[in-house]
Amino acid sequence: MFSFINRFFTIIVFFLIFSCNSSSIDFIIINSNVNTFDSNYSVYSAVAIDDGIFSAIGGKEITKIYQSKNILDAKKMHIYPGLINFKHSIPDIQRFKESLFLNGSNSIEVGKVADFVILDSDIMEIEGKNLSNVKLIAVFNKWRIVYDIFN
C-alpha cells in the first residue's frame, strides 16, 4: 500500500513540475478578436507564434503556457488570416476582404503559417463604403511585422 501511495505522489509531483514549465516562443498576441475562419468560425482572444507558425490559439491560458519577450496587447482589435498586397503605397482593405483566402492563408489554425492582419474593426460586419473607414493596424508575415501604422 505504501509503494502505491509513494508512486501516486511521485506522479503528482512530476505532473505539477511539468505543467508549470512554460515554453518560450517568438511572439504572443493577447486581448484580441482572432477570427480563425476554422470550420466553426471560432473567435479567440490570444495566439502564440513560434518560427512563423501558429503554436496555440485560445484565451488567457496562452500566457500561462507560453512565455515570450514579444507580447502584443491588441486592445480588442480584429485579427484575420491572410496578407494584403502592397502594389500601392496604402494597403487596400477592400481588396484584402475580396482576397481574404488567397496565398494559402485561409484560416488561423495551429500548425499553419502566421500570415495575418490586425484591423481596428470587424470587416465581416461592414458593407460597402463604410469599409474605407477601417484602419489597417499591422500586417504580419511569418510573425514578423511587415507593415504597421506607427512606422
Side-chain angles (χ1 to χ4, degrees), residues 73-89:
D73 183 344
K75 301 181 194 257
K76 301 298 179 196
M77 293 189 193
H78 296 266
I79 296 177
Y80 291 95
L83 295 170
I84 291 181
N85 191 346
F86 286 95
K87 289 183 180 176
H88 308 287
S89 59

Side-chain angles (χ1 to χ4, degrees), residues 31-35 37 43 74-81 84 93-94 96-97 100 117-138 149:
N31 299 324
S32 61
N33 292 295
V34 182
N35 298 276
F37 287 94
V43 178
K75 301 181 194 257
K76 301 298 179 196
M77 293 189 193
H78 296 266
I79 296 177
Y80 291 95
I84 291 181
I93 299 289
Q94 180 64 42
F96 168 71
K97 187 174 180 182
L100 188 59
V117 298
I118 300 177
L119 306 173
D120 72 341
S121 304
D122 184 354
I123 62 169
M124 303 318 278
E125 293 183 5
I126 297 174
E127 296 297 328
K129 295 179 183 177
N130 291 332
L131 197 57
S132 62
N133 296 328
V134 174
K135 288 189 175 86
L136 175 65
I137 306 303
I149 63 170

Side-chain angles (χ1 to χ4, degrees), residues 2-144:
F2 181 74
S3 70
F4 173 77
I5 294 171
N6 198 12
R7 279 191 219 153
F8 180 75
F9 180 76
T10 304
I11 291 169
I12 294 297
V13 169
F14 177 78
F15 177 77
L16 289 174
I17 291 170
F18 181 77
S19 66
C20 290
N21 287 339
S22 321
S23 298
S24 182
I25 59 168
D26 293 327
F27 206 82
I28 297 173
I29 300 175
I30 59 172
N31 299 324
S32 61
N33 292 295
V34 182
N35 298 276
T36 63
F37 287 94
D38 63 8
S39 59
N40 297 319
Y41 291 92
S42 306
V43 178
Y44 295 98
S45 63
V47 294
I49 302 164
D50 197 39
D51 264 348
I53 304 293
F54 290 110
S55 297
I57 302 161
K60 292 180 181 183
E61 75 280 357
I62 296 289
T63 57
K64 292 177 179 147
I65 298 170
Y66 298 97
Q67 293 180 347
S68 179
K69 293 178 183 175
N70 303 303
I71 298 178
L72 172 67
D73 183 344
K75 301 181 194 257
K76 301 298 179 196
M77 293 189 193
H78 296 266
I79 296 177
Y80 291 95
L83 295 170
I84 291 181
N85 191 346
F86 286 95
K87 289 183 180 176
H88 308 287
S89 59
I90 299 174
D92 187 337
I93 299 289
Q94 180 64 42
R95 285 182 191 223
F96 168 71
K97 187 174 180 182
E98 292 168 358
S99 65
L100 188 59
F101 302 114
L102 292 181
N103 301 322
S105 300
N106 59 354
S107 65
I108 294 176
E109 296 181 68
V110 171
K112 286 198 168 191
V113 174
D115 292 338
F116 60 96
V117 298
I118 300 177
L119 306 173
D120 72 341
S121 304
D122 184 354
I123 62 169
M124 303 318 278
E125 293 183 5
I126 297 174
E127 296 297 328
K129 295 179 183 177
N130 291 332
L131 197 57
S132 62
N133 296 328
V134 174
K135 288 189 175 86
L136 175 65
I137 306 303
V139 176
F140 286 73
N141 179 239
K142 296 180 184 169
W143 85 267
R144 289 175 171 63

